[in-house]
Amino acid sequence: QANRHTIILMQTSQNRATRTFMDYESISQAMDGICGLYERKLKELNPAIREITYDISDLYNFIDGLADMSALVYDHSIQAYLPYDRQWIKQKTLQHLKKLASQR
């Protein structure tokens, strides 16, 4: 379950040239990557603030603000990638952040 190769497909604006992808060794790493992407964006927008905090609704707004975002997750049993939508990504990022919070 843990080592399921995950590809995040995204388009940041209506311009098709902003289409890109990121790939990760696991779903967990992919969710980490999405959080990192958002955190970098926050730092870009608020260069003077040293410690930036956000809550899950801020992250959801970021994800919803993208022109498109979806995930392809490798399923070993069928040896193919299964597509997942933005809602699934939001659900997984929440689970991921809850898990991280419980480890502190």
Side-chain angles (χ1 to χ4, degrees):
Q1 185 73 340
N3 63 344
R4 294 176 62 193
H5 188 253
T6 303
I7 302 169
I8 300 295
L9 303 169
M10 59 184 245
Q11 184 173 330
T12 53
S13 75
Q14 292 307 316
N15 181 347
R16 290 171 68 103
T18 64
R19 284 182 173 177
T20 189
F21 75 95
M22 303 171 296
D23 72 310
Y24 301 93
E25 291 306 308
S26 68
I27 293 171
S28 175
Q29 285 177 3
M31 298 310 121
D32 234 10
I34 291 168
C35 293
L37 196 70
Y38 178 54
E39 288 161 15
R40 284 191 295 282
K41 181 79 175 161
L42 285 177
K43 283 183 181 134
E44 210 176 276
L45 296 171
N46 307 285
I49 301 172
R50 286 174 60 139
E51 195 169 308
I52 295 174
T53 59
Y54 61 92
D55 65 25
I56 195 69
S57 64
D58 298 324
L59 182 60
Y60 284 179
N61 287 336
F62 168 72
I63 292 171
D64 287 335
L66 297 170
D68 195 17
M69 181 179 256
S70 58
L72 294 171
V73 180
Y74 191 74
D75 186 325
H76 293 279
S77 65
I78 59 169
Q79 300 202 343
Y81 285 89
L82 294 174
Y84 293 95
D85 64 3
R86 201 186 303 244
Q87 273 318 112
W88 181 87
I89 291 171
K90 286 161 60 173
Q91 189 186 336
K92 288 292 177 188
T93 51
L94 177 60
Q95 287 171 3
H96 179 69
L97 290 171
K98 278 182 174 173
K99 197 173 119 195
L100 289 179
S102 73
Q103 290 171 353
R104 288 198 168 152

